[in-house]
Amino acid sequence: MSRRKGSCLCGALTYEVDGEFDGVWLCHCSNCRKTSGGTGNSILIVKRERFRWLTGQNHRVTYTLRPTYSITRCKTCGTPLPAEEDETNIYLTAGTLDDPIGVGIRTHIFHGSRPDWDHDMEGVRYLNERS
Ligand SMILES: [Zn+2]
Ligand SMILES: [Zn+2]
């Protein structure tokens, strides 16, 4: 079975996750836009038994913004972290993975809530470094 690793920006938190993924969920709802500071949160939904923290578990802080919405971040660097979202699932923040996953975005949620700058434009530049 395949096993992948992930971490926060400062490296305090590391985890591993087993198995394959069926695609990334990208949620553009207003909560996810604000907490990501971008077009939304990119999430992989995985069963709890496939996921385990390796280091830094006590380095997490959870902000409960509404009864139905919370976000967990690293105390030091603020990276949005995988979170226990319900009894069975972890919502794994896809950008924290350090290994490729072999699949792309599968579902856009609240697609109509994307900011107006999030659309394909002619002449868009693709850079591999800051210019
Ligand atoms: Zn960190
Ligand atoms: Zn959302």
Side-chain angles (χ1 to χ4, degrees):
M1 184 188 283
S2 60
R3 177 168 288 173
R4 294 178 174 85
K5 290 193 173 173
S7 59
C8 66
L9 183 58
C10 76
L13 285 127
T14 58
Y15 64 85
E16 62 184 14
V17 58
D18 295 328
E20 297 304 325
F21 303 104
D22 58 2
V24 175
W25 297 72
L26 185 45
C27 185
H28 305 279
C29 80
S30 57
N31 294 332
C32 289
R33 278 194 287 113
K34 294 285 184 183
T35 58
S36 71
T39 190
N41 281 315
S42 306
I43 299 296
L44 292 156
I45 302 172
V46 298
K47 298 281 177 225
R48 276 174 182 256
E49 58 268 21
R50 289 174 52 189
F51 179 91
R52 72 199 69 80
W53 290 105
L54 298 176
T55 60
Q57 258 202 84
N58 60 356
H59 219 69
R60 293 178 297 170
V61 57
T62 296
Y63 301 92
T64 302
L65 305 163
R66 310 188 196 306
T68 55
Y69 194 91
S70 64
I71 188 157
T72 301
R73 293 180 178 270
C74 170
K75 245 194 291 200
T76 299
C77 68
T79 297
L81 299 167
E84 292 84 2
E85 200 57 35
D86 55 44
E87 293 295 305
T88 52
N89 293 311
I90 301 278
Y91 281 27
L92 193 160
T93 40
T96 61
L97 278 164
D98 294 315
D99 298 313
I101 61 171
V103 291
I105 295 167
R106 176 197 191 191
T107 310
H108 287 271
I109 311 168
F110 292 107
H111 195 243
S113 294
R114 284 175 308 154
D116 71 346
W117 50 260
D118 180 13
H119 61 272
D120 296 325
M121 287 175 64
E122 244 178 76
V124 67
R125 297 183 304 159
Y126 293 91
L127 305 173
N128 286 315
E129 60 189 27
R130 195 179 301 190
S131 71

